[in-house]
Amino acid sequence: GAVVSQHPSWVICKSGTSVKIECRSLDFQATTMFWYRQFPKQSLMLMATSNEGSKATYEQGVEKDKFLINHASLTLSTLTVTSAHPEDSSFYICSASRVTSSYNSPLHFGNGTRLTVT
Amino acid sequence: DQQVKQNSPSLSVQEGRISILNCDYTNSMFDYFLWYKKYPAEGPTFLISISSIKDKNEDGRFTVFLNKSAKHLSLHIVPSQPGDSAVYFCAANSGGSNYKLTFGKGTLLTVNP
């Protein structure tokens, strides 16, 4: 089955530093990847849509200069949390869709990254 | 504005019995619905889906029912097993070339042996 790999699974960083999270599709090509964020006991909130070879599309209220997204290839998207602050501490999850799937194919999710900013 | 609502944060069921997880939505443009299962510190795993042209979809122990007029769907698990214990998310999207999903807050299902 399709596998989406996300790395790292957890990271602790100091306030003011930047953290990069990688999302890879391991056995399929993904023109589109999605980045979600989940706070405790809350739903997954879509942050942005990452499109291979073009700029990401951010959801309302998400700072694009703070959450930098790069989708340089069909198998890799990265999310960089710049100048992280404690309120950025959260669970970040990426998902990917196959190139040839219809829009109704289910997304495949990575295992998420737990970010803690101290 | 919560477009996908799972009003029960938790549900506890005895092993072998039926688990019924409910989901309501407000956006009439949604035409495809999915259920995901999630264990702690892991990403969601796709479970089952249903298109708005159907009112029922079945896959083994899992059945999803859709009532479009009520904007309500439910996931039935029968018989429930302890390994089904997880958070279940209802998700929806609307037609088009995107896969953007809107998720509910999830329901924690606990199946007791």
Side-chain angles (χ1 to χ4, degrees), chain A residues 34-69:
Chain A
F34 299 90
W35 288 95
Y36 289 84
R37 178 177 183 176
Q38 186 188 23
F39 291 106
K41 297 184 180 180
Q42 298 296 314
S43 63
L44 286 83
M45 299 299 295
L46 179 66
M47 298 175 65
T49 302
S50 172
N51 303 298
E52 188 268 335
S54 65
K55 291 183 179 180
T57 305
Y58 290 82
E59 295 300 301
Q60 193 173 11
V62 178
E63 300 176 59
K64 59 182 179 182
D65 294 329
K66 181 166 188 61
F67 299 99
L68 300 179
I69 291 173

Side-chain angles (χ1 to χ4, degrees), chain A residues 94-114:
Chain A
C94 71
S95 65
S97 61
R98 293 178 180 268
V99 172
T100 57
S101 294
S102 71
Y103 90 96
N104 280 339
S105 294
L107 288 176
H108 303 283
F109 284 84
N111 276 341
T113 298
R114 171 71 60 192

Side-chain angles (χ1 to χ4, degrees), chain B:
Chain B
D1 177 30
Q2 195 77 18
Q3 296 187 64
V4 177
K5 301 177 184 178
Q6 293 177 259
N7 292 320
S8 297
S10 63
L11 174 69
S12 185
V13 170
Q14 207 64 27
E15 181 178 7
R17 298 290 188 99
I18 184 171
S19 295
I20 300 176
L21 299 123
N22 293 303
C23 178
D24 297 289
Y25 61 96
T26 57
N27 189 340
S28 58
M29 297 300 292
F30 287 148
D31 60 0
Y32 194 67
F33 305 90
L34 308 91
W35 284 94
Y36 282 84
K37 177 179 179 180
K38 184 180 181 299
Y39 293 113
E42 292 185 10
T45 303
F46 170 72
L47 201 55
I48 192 169
S49 62
I50 188 166
S51 165
S52 61
I53 62 173
K54 294 186 174 182
D55 56 16
K56 177 183 175 181
N57 188 26
E58 192 172 353
D59 183 3
R61 297 186 297 115
F62 303 92
T63 303
V64 56
F65 296 91
L66 175 62
N67 183 333
K68 282 178 59 181
S69 60
K71 293 191 177 67
H72 176 84
L73 62 154
S74 60
L75 173 68
H76 292 214
I77 306 173
V78 56
S80 301
Q81 299 172 355
D84 295 329
S85 299
V87 176
Y88 288 78
F89 287 97
C90 172
N93 71 1
S94 57
S97 59
N98 69 76
Y99 296 71
K100 288 168 58 172
L101 296 178
T102 301
F103 283 86
K105 288 187 176 182
T107 296
L108 173 62
L109 173 65
T110 302
V111 180
N112 302 303

Side-chain angles (χ1 to χ4, degrees), chain A:
Chain A
V3 177
V4 173
S5 174
Q6 192 171 336
H7 177 81
S9 55
W10 61 270
V11 58
I12 301 172
C13 70
K14 291 187 176 181
S15 187
T17 61
S18 295
V19 173
K20 180 185 282 188
I21 303 170
E22 292 187 349
C23 180
R24 294 179 184 274
S25 56
L26 297 184
D27 61 355
F28 65 98
Q29 293 181 322
T31 53
T32 305
M33 291 185 174
F34 299 90
W35 288 95
Y36 289 84
R37 178 177 183 176
Q38 186 188 23
F39 291 106
K41 297 184 180 180
Q42 298 296 314
S43 63
L44 286 83
M45 299 299 295
L46 179 66
M47 298 175 65
T49 302
S50 172
N51 303 298
E52 188 268 335
S54 65
K55 291 183 179 180
T57 305
Y58 290 82
E59 295 300 301
Q60 193 173 11
V62 178
E63 300 176 59
K64 59 182 179 182
D65 294 329
K66 181 166 188 61
F67 299 99
L68 300 179
I69 291 173
N70 184 278
H71 194 154
S73 76
L74 284 171
T75 59
L76 173 65
S77 175
T78 60
L79 168 68
T80 301
V81 183
T82 63
S83 187
H85 291 284
E87 57 265 30
D88 298 325
S89 300
S90 189
F91 192 57
Y92 294 86
I93 309 176
C94 71
S95 65
S97 61
R98 293 178 180 268
V99 172
T100 57
S101 294
S102 71
Y103 90 96
N104 280 339
S105 294
L107 288 176
H108 303 283
F109 284 84
N111 276 341
T113 298
R114 171 71 60 192
L115 171 63
T116 302
V117 184
T118 61

